[in-house]
């Protein structure tokens, strides 16, 4: 066992089964054991796991990883042909349970395996977004966000089974972090259907996941209001795309596709949107896609001031009554996708 290199206290950890660490792999995250009330690192990220080292590791029942590293753990399990992780909260400690694909194949149909995988991806990504909105500062964990993007793109497809599985797992009740996750998933599906390049798709999903990040600067009294907004409150709410653009810039994001996707996701094809009342193709493609997916998810989730629409009702509303606001090609493609 490698020597102890440092002791860390006052962090949040999650437990993983020690026997899930595999031979002939390189661990991309630090691993800890618990000694009294402290967590002591025993394996540093980048360590290669040989047979002898794994034998010593599995002498422990559990290892611990930093909560912020759970996506790295998830990606590691995926690379080891495991399905992923489920986070189960017990007070301040989350326990990660690994579900092996071989076991699931014996018990579940292929579609059920895919749904389970999708739930795990959705839960992990939503948790990351939730932590971003609940953090006291505006610093973004860009590496973690990029991992979310890659993980969603790898898992999500535009196949019919994927669409139905996605709609099945999405919560009906609106929360900001679930909404951002939903919009990113819909954008990934639509972007794949439109055959965006790998780079374009990554930028699109990154922007979609953070499209409402500017709402961190909006007062809770406005964000959480149970009724419709007054005119002054609505004007404040309209500042969130600009706030989002500023937050991204402050975090060193220079990619214009991402920046403009966030800044212009409320622009409308007929020029009735904000913040700059852009018309038609003046609105960047990423913003047009995100805007459509944003509207669809907003309509199909329950709000405190109204019930949710069904998918059919929402698409009908977008196609017939809001047709001038969205790109017609993208709307028709989205309708076909969800049919």
């Amino acid at each position: 066992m490698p020597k102890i290199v440092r002791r860390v206290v006052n962090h949040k950890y999650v437990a993983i089964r020690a026997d899930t660490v595999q031979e002939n792999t390189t661990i991309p995250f630090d691993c800890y054991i618990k000694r009294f009330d402290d967590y002591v690192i025993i394996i540093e990220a980048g360590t290669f796991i040989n047979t002898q080292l794994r034998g010593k590791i599995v002498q422990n029942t559990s290892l611990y990883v930093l909560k912020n590293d759970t996506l790295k753990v998830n990606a590691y399990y995926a690379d080891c042909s495991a399905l992923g992780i489920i986070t189960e909260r017990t007070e301040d400690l989350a326990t990660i349970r690994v579900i092996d694909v071989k076991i699931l194949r014996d018990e579940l149909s292929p579609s059920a395996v895919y749904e389970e995988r999708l739930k795990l991806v959705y839960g992990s990504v939503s948790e990351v977004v939730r932590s971003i909105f609940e953090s006291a500062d505006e610093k973004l964990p860009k590496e973690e966000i990029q991992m979310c993007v890659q993980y969603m793109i790898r898992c999500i497809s535009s196949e019919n089974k994927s669409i139905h599985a996605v709609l099945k797992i999405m919560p009906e009740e609106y929360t900001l972090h679930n909404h951002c996750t939903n919009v990113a998933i819909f954008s990934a599906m639509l972007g794949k259907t439109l055959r965006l390049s790998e780079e374009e798709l990554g930028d699109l999903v990154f922007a979609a996941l953070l499209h409402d990040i500017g709402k961190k600067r909006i007062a809770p009294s406005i964000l959480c209001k149970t009724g419709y907004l007054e005119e002054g409150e609505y004007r404040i709410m309209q500042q969130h795309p600009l706030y989002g653009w500023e937050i991204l810039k402050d975090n060193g994001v220079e990619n214009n596709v991402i920046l403009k996707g966030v800044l212009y996701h409320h622009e409308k094809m007929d020029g009735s949107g904000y913040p700059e009342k852009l018309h038609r193709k003046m609105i960047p493609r990423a913003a047009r896609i995100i805007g459509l997916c944003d509207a669809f998810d907003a309509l199909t989730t329950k709000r405190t001031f109204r019930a949710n629409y069904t998918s059919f009702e929402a698409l009908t509303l977008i196609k017939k009554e809001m047709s001038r606001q969205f790109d017609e090609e993208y709307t028709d493609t989205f309708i076909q996708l969800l049919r």
Side-chain angles (χ1 to χ4, degrees), residues 263-269 271-279 283 287 291 325-326:
L263 179 61
Y264 296 134
H265 74 273
H266 276 296
E267 296 288 357
K268 306 300 181 186
M269 297 290 280
S272 63
Y274 59 88
E276 296 183 14
K277 297 190 179 299
L278 300 180
H279 286 78
I283 307 169
Q325 297 182 21
F326 302 107

Side-chain angles (χ1 to χ4, degrees), residues 20-23 25-29 49 71-82:
T20 58
V21 174
Q22 301 297 308
E23 289 182 28
T25 62
T26 299
I27 294 291
F29 45 85
I49 307 300
L71 275 177
K72 293 181 181 179
V73 176
N74 210 350
Y76 170 74
Y77 289 146
D79 291 340
C80 293
S81 297

Side-chain angles (χ1 to χ4, degrees), residues 41-164:
I41 188 168
I42 60 167
I43 307 172
E44 287 191 304
T47 299
F48 180 77
I49 307 300
N50 57 29
T51 303
Q52 182 181 10
L53 181 54
R54 186 177 187 276
K56 294 180 179 180
I57 291 171
V58 297
Q59 292 175 11
N60 299 280
T61 302
S62 297
L63 298 176
Y64 295 86
V65 299
L66 288 172
K67 184 178 178 182
N68 288 341
D69 281 342
T70 53
L71 275 177
K72 293 181 181 179
V73 176
N74 210 350
Y76 170 74
Y77 289 146
D79 291 340
C80 293
S81 297
L83 181 61
I85 60 172
I86 295 178
T87 303
E88 299 173 343
R89 293 188 177 282
T90 55
E91 297 180 354
D92 291 334
L93 182 66
T95 301
I96 295 179
R97 176 164 59 90
V98 181
I99 303 174
D100 195 289
V101 169
K102 293 179 181 178
I103 298 174
L104 284 175
R105 281 176 180 162
D106 294 336
E107 300 177 357
L108 301 175
S109 66
S111 61
V113 171
Y114 179 78
E115 288 178 13
E116 193 67 27
R117 177 184 174 88
L118 191 59
K119 287 179 184 177
L120 299 173
V121 173
Y122 187 95
S124 296
V125 173
S126 182
E127 176 68 16
V128 170
V129 180
R130 184 194 63 78
S131 67
I132 291 172
F133 278 107
E134 291 182 358
S135 66
D137 57 41
E138 295 181 352
K139 183 174 176 59
L140 299 177
K142 290 189 291 183
E143 181 181 349
E144 200 168 0
I145 294 167
Q146 193 61 53
M147 288 185 67
C148 288
V149 170
Q150 293 170 1
Y151 208 51
M152 280 191 291
I153 291 174
R154 194 163 55 180
C155 180
I156 301 300
S157 74
S158 57
E159 297 176 5
N160 186 262
K161 70 171 185 177
S162 179
I163 309 299
H164 289 282

Side-chain angles (χ1 to χ4, degrees), residues 202-238:
D203 292 342
L204 167 66
V205 178
F206 193 107
L209 197 61
L210 297 178
H211 75 282
D212 273 346
I213 190 63
K215 289 183 178 179
K216 279 180 69 73
R217 295 184 181 178
I218 304 295
S221 60
I222 296 177
L223 275 183
C224 303
K225 187 173 181 178
T226 56
Y228 287 98
L229 298 178
E230 302 292 338
E231 183 177 347
E233 295 170 329
Y234 183 64
R235 283 199 299 269
I236 293 173
M237 183 67 82
Q238 285 181 314

Side-chain angles (χ1 to χ4, degrees), residues 164-321:
H164 289 282
V166 164
L167 295 175
K168 181 187 264 189
I169 68 167
M170 287 180 169
E172 288 188 356
E173 300 290 341
Y174 175 90
T175 61
L176 189 51
H177 57 279
N178 283 339
H179 169 67
C180 289
T181 305
N182 295 351
V183 173
I185 289 175
F186 287 134
S187 296
M189 288 180 165
L190 183 52
K192 284 190 173 184
T193 305
L194 294 169
R195 300 185 183 281
L196 299 189
S197 69
E198 185 175 340
E199 181 180 357
E200 291 172 325
L201 191 61
D203 292 342
L204 167 66
V205 178
F206 193 107
L209 197 61
L210 297 178
H211 75 282
D212 273 346
I213 190 63
K215 289 183 178 179
K216 279 180 69 73
R217 295 184 181 178
I218 304 295
S221 60
I222 296 177
L223 275 183
C224 303
K225 187 173 181 178
T226 56
Y228 287 98
L229 298 178
E230 302 292 338
E231 183 177 347
E233 295 170 329
Y234 183 64
R235 283 199 299 269
I236 293 173
M237 183 67 82
Q238 285 181 314
Q239 295 299 308
H240 81 267
L242 178 59
Y243 293 155
W245 180 86
E246 291 174 349
I247 290 172
L248 290 173
K249 292 284 286 185
D250 290 344
N251 278 270
V253 176
E254 297 180 350
N255 185 315
N256 268 326
V257 175
I258 296 173
L259 290 171
K260 291 182 178 180
V262 171
L263 179 61
Y264 296 134
H265 74 273
H266 276 296
E267 296 288 357
K268 306 300 181 186
M269 297 290 280
D270 60 3
S272 63
Y274 59 88
E276 296 183 14
K277 297 190 179 299
L278 300 180
H279 286 78
R280 303 190 67 77
K281 295 302 173 71
M282 293 173 64
I283 307 169
R285 176 166 58 182
R288 280 179 274 149
I289 292 173
I290 295 169
L292 173 61
C293 296
D294 180 34
F296 175 78
D297 187 68
L299 290 170
T300 54
T301 49
K302 291 180 182 178
R303 308 301 290 268
T304 54
F305 50 86
R306 63 155 173 80
N308 59 311
Y309 293 87
T310 66
S311 296
F312 177 78
E313 291 169 339
L315 290 172
T316 300
L317 186 65
I318 289 172
K319 178 64 177 176
K320 293 186 176 180
E321 298 185 29

